[in-house]
């Protein structure tokens, strides 16, 4: 169950990141987030109310802390997507998003079988392969995007850890997390006098879709972390760059280099080992 939920989270996260990046190129990263995050919060709030379960102060505070990490990471990540190629930015962020929960999970006592450890290592290698630049000149030209992606990935990994710590069997810690993210984005928009791209219906629609996918990906991750170890859930959920890269290939024609194709194959092998372990 943890494998299916975590991989589902990765697929949805990747599709949401692609939509967010596409909208950011058209309407600016902060403006897009002003549309996408509140839309996702409304959807999440409706689902949480439908289940009707309450939550105590402790888990909610973990949710607030995770929201600060995740909200800041999204602001940085969407800017990185707007500035650099998606096929590079997404994998770089995914690497750090995988490393942080893996390290914390092991430090907290996750006992992994040798096959599971080998699978996690292969997944990390796969993310590195997918993010390798074709030559030094392009690497220098696109340096700012990957650096921002590195910072964003650290924030995402921190979010994964904190939201799992506050999990109490309800969705309210995640609601608190997303609410904090919305507040951060609105403050950033007001400070920079950025307006959401509501006049462009296409951009607005893509932004709303990105927000919906983001919430769905988060919910799947929370369920995955409940079903098993943080180290496995975090690493598998961080394979989202694969779907982002594939969508960028299909929509924008961003070519998959041989090393990236190898990375995707290695990712499949890594998931297989984690599943077997």
């Amino acid at each position: 169950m943890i494998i299916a939920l975590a991989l589902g989270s990765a697929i949805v996260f990747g599709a949401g990141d692609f939509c967010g990046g596409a909208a950011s190129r058209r309407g600016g990263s902060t403006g897009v987030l002003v549309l996408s995050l509140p839309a996702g919060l409304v959807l999440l709030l409706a689902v949480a109310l439908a289940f009707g379960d309450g939550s105590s102060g402790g888990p909610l505070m973990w949710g607030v802390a995770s929201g600060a990490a995740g909200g800041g990471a999204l602001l940085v990540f969407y800017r990185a997507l707007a500035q650099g190629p998606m096929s590079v930015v997404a994998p770089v962020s995914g690497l750090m998003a995988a490393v942080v929960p893996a390290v914390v999970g092991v430090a907290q006592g996750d006992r992994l079988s040798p096959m599971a450890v080998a699978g996690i290592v292969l997944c990390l290698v796969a993310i590195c392969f997918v993010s390798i630049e074709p030559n030094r000149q392009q690497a220098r030209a696109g340096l700012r995007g990957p650096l921002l992606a590195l910072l964003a990935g650290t924030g995402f990994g921190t979010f994964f850890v904190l939201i799992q710590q506050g999990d109490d069997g309800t969705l309210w810690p995640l609601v608190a997390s997303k609410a904090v993210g919305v507040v951060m984005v609105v403050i950033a928009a007001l400070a920079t006098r950025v307006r959401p791209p509501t006049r462009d219906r296409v951009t607005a629609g893509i932004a709303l879709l990105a927000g919906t996918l983001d919430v769905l990906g988060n919910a799947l991750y929370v369920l995955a972390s409940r079903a098993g170890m943080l180290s496995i859930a975090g690493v598998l959920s961080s394979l989202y760059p694969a779907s982002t890269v594939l969508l960028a290939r299909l929509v924008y024609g961003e070519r998959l280099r041989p090393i990236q194709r190898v990375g995707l194959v290695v990712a499949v092998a890594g998931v297989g080992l984690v599943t077997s372990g």
Side-chain angles (χ1 to χ4, degrees), residues 109-130:
D110 284 357
R111 294 183 178 180
L112 303 172
S113 69
M115 291 187 68
V117 172
I120 289 175
V121 171
L122 282 182
C123 288
L124 296 177
V125 171
I127 296 171
C128 292
F129 280 2
V130 176

Side-chain angles (χ1 to χ4, degrees), residues 84-162:
M86 291 186 188
S87 56
V88 174
V89 169
V92 171
S93 68
L95 177 62
M96 289 307 301
V99 168
V100 174
V103 171
V104 173
V106 172
Q108 290 180 340
D110 284 357
R111 294 183 178 180
L112 303 172
S113 69
M115 291 187 68
V117 172
I120 289 175
V121 171
L122 282 182
C123 288
L124 296 177
V125 171
I127 296 171
C128 292
F129 280 2
V130 176
S131 65
I132 291 177
E133 285 282 10
N135 56 59
R136 293 182 180 178
Q137 183 177 0
Q138 290 188 17
R140 294 193 191 100
L143 184 60
R144 181 172 174 79
L147 286 178
L148 291 175
L150 190 68
L151 179 61
T154 304
F156 287 141
T158 304
F159 164 82
F160 284 154
V161 171
L162 295 177

Side-chain angles (χ1 to χ4, degrees), residues 5-6 10 18 21 47 55 71 76 88 97 100 102 139 147 154 160 179 203 227 256 267 269:
L5 291 170
F18 172 79
V47 175
S55 188
V76 175
V88 174
V100 174
L147 286 178
T154 304
F160 284 154
T203 302
L256 292 177

Side-chain angles (χ1 to χ4, degrees), residues 61-230:
M61 292 308 298
W62 282 110
V64 169
S66 70
L74 273 176
L75 283 168
V76 175
F77 182 65
Y78 272 48
R79 178 159 300 199
L81 286 173
Q83 293 183 357
M86 291 186 188
S87 56
V88 174
V89 169
V92 171
S93 68
L95 177 62
M96 289 307 301
V99 168
V100 174
V103 171
V104 173
V106 172
Q108 290 180 340
D110 284 357
R111 294 183 178 180
L112 303 172
S113 69
M115 291 187 68
V117 172
I120 289 175
V121 171
L122 282 182
C123 288
L124 296 177
V125 171
I127 296 171
C128 292
F129 280 2
V130 176
S131 65
I132 291 177
E133 285 282 10
N135 56 59
R136 293 182 180 178
Q137 183 177 0
Q138 290 188 17
R140 294 193 191 100
L143 184 60
R144 181 172 174 79
L147 286 178
L148 291 175
L150 190 68
L151 179 61
T154 304
F156 287 141
T158 304
F159 164 82
F160 284 154
V161 171
L162 295 177
I163 198 64
Q164 191 270 344
Q165 294 294 323
D167 182 32
D168 61 353
T170 74
L171 290 175
W172 289 108
L174 187 57
V175 171
S177 176
K178 290 302 172 186
V180 171
V182 169
V183 171
M184 293 179 65
V185 168
V186 170
I187 292 175
L190 292 174
T192 55
R193 298 182 180 180
V194 172
R195 295 182 179 180
T198 53
R199 294 184 180 181
D200 186 343
R201 293 184 178 180
V202 174
T203 302
I206 298 174
L208 293 176
L209 178 59
T212 302
L213 292 172
D214 176 65
V215 164
L216 179 57
N218 278 283
L220 289 172
Y221 169 74
V222 169
L223 294 175
S225 64
R226 289 176 187 171
M229 291 181 285
L230 171 64

Side-chain angles (χ1 to χ4, degrees), residues 19-42:
C19 291
S24 296
R25 291 181 176 183
R26 296 170 59 97
S29 57
T30 303
V32 167
L33 284 171
V34 170
L35 277 180
S36 64
L37 284 190
L41 176 60
V42 170

